[in-house]
Amino acid sequence: MTQWRKSKRSGGGAQSNCVEVASLSGHIGMRDSKDPDGPRITLPAEQFRRLAADIKHGAHDVA
């Protein structure tokens, strides 16, 4: 069974916008915590690390 997790910094409640991640044999899966049966994105682990670093540095901020 896949173990999905979200950040400890994620707020609780129905209005919380959270992404859950799971380790999948060299890949990282991502899904919307409010729609666990909905679409998922899977990236190779290295691409996920680059994406996470870009997000931390504001590269994907919406203006």
Side-chain angles (χ1 to χ4, degrees), residues 5 19 21 28 30 43-61:
R5 64 187 191 282
V19 172
V21 296
I28 303 296
M30 295 172 280
L43 293 174
E46 182 55 37
Q47 277 188 313
F48 177 81
R49 283 190 278 280
R50 284 193 304 256
L51 175 62
D54 286 349
I55 290 168
K56 287 178 185 178
H57 291 102
H60 301 287
D61 287 353

Side-chain angles (χ1 to χ4, degrees), residues 4-27:
W4 291 92
R5 64 187 191 282
K6 62 182 175 179
S7 172
K8 292 177 185 173
R9 296 182 185 193
S10 296
Q15 298 304 317
S16 159
N17 293 319
C18 299
V19 172
E20 294 179 322
V21 296
S23 180
L24 307 168
S25 301
H27 289 74

